[in-house]
Amino acid sequence: MKFERREFIKTLLAIPVIGGISALFISPFVRFLKPSSGPLATAEIFKQPDKPSPVREISFGVSDFPENWSFKYFMFQESNREYTSVGEQIKTIPGVIVRTPTSDGSPDFVVFSRVCPHLGCVFNFVPIEEEVAKGYNYAPPPGQKVFACPCHLSVYDPMQTDTKGRGKVVSGPAPRSPFKFNFVRNGDRILVSSLESGGIS
Ligand code: FES
């Protein structure tokens, strides 16, 4: 009986030692798989993958856009986890929000990144049809308002869709419509919260 108790106490004392040694070996492996984990945070391996998060959300009032085709440019900042001593990288993305027409006249919006999916220049909203025809090698039908890129003249139509959603390429070399920002409308407020994820294709 005495012997059993001694064995039991020895086992009890050994648990923290075994746990500590295991952590020492497991931790580098976990940090290899997920370098942003803390020194001994093995549980972090089960967490969601790192996602960009907004540095601050951008908001507008619906009344900021009194008529169809009213628009505003903005700069959206998001923080991306980085596997360095700094720990994050802040990315600034130029964006544009445009009020688009609807059949019943109620305000509707599109919110795009202005980074051109062709080679990354910043494109503009060009609501003057004559300017598009003269400067961008594309003659829009009457009433069509477009985004246009000054670098290689890609033109995007916010009212038409491609497989990626609104902003179809109607002229030029761009491979797809621009990336969209995710946003919600809450009463009179429009809250831009994040950029659509995904690759260029
Ligand atoms: S970068 Fe915009 S068309 Fe080439």
Side-chain angles (χ1 to χ4, degrees), residues 104-116:
D104 63 1
S106 60
D108 194 18
F109 295 91
V110 287
V111 190
F112 286 101
S113 158
R114 292 174 62 206
V115 177
C116 181

Side-chain angles (χ1 to χ4, degrees), residues 116-123 149-156 172-174:
C116 181
H118 181 224
L119 290 176
C121 291
V122 175
F123 62 74
C149 182
C151 288
H152 312 100
L153 311 184
S154 285
V155 179
Y156 308 96

Side-chain angles (χ1 to χ4, degrees), residues 31 35-37 80-89:
R31 285 165 63 74
S36 58
S37 302
N80 293 271
R81 287 295 289 268
E82 197 177 71
Y83 303 142
T84 64
S85 57
V86 179
E88 66 170 357
Q89 187 190 56

Side-chain angles (χ1 to χ4, degrees), residues 57-195:
E57 284 164 334
I58 304 279
S59 88
F60 300 95
V62 172
S63 53
D64 294 336
F65 305 88
E67 57 201 34
N68 289 335
W69 304 116
S70 300
F71 71 99
K72 283 185 184 298
Y73 292 141
F74 62 88
M75 298 300 262
F76 183 87
Q77 286 192 311
E78 67 177 18
S79 161
N80 293 271
R81 287 295 289 268
E82 197 177 71
Y83 303 142
T84 64
S85 57
V86 179
E88 66 170 357
Q89 187 190 56
I90 305 290
K91 202 161 88 179
T92 302
I93 306 153
V96 57
I97 172 168
V98 184
R99 174 175 165 170
T100 52
T102 56
S103 52
D104 63 1
S106 60
D108 194 18
F109 295 91
V110 287
V111 190
F112 286 101
S113 158
R114 292 174 62 206
V115 177
C116 181
H118 181 224
L119 290 176
C121 291
V122 175
F123 62 74
N124 300 307
F125 181 56
V126 189
I128 302 165
E129 290 150 32
E130 197 185 348
E131 189 181 329
V132 180
K134 284 188 179 158
Y136 294 91
N137 204 21
Y138 174 73
Q144 187 185 28
K145 312 291 182 194
V146 295
F147 301 112
C149 182
C151 288
H152 312 100
L153 311 184
S154 285
V155 179
Y156 308 96
D157 180 352
M159 300 301 286
Q160 291 192 58
T161 56
D162 66 9
T163 54
K164 304 291 182 187
R166 287 170 78 165
K168 183 178 176 180
V169 183
V170 288
S171 182
R176 55 159 287 172
S177 56
F179 281 73
K180 286 93 185 153
F181 280 100
N182 301 309
F183 69 98
V184 288
R185 259 181 75 179
N186 194 352
D188 182 51
R189 303 306 298 170
I190 302 160
L191 199 67
V192 180
S193 55
S194 59
L195 183 66

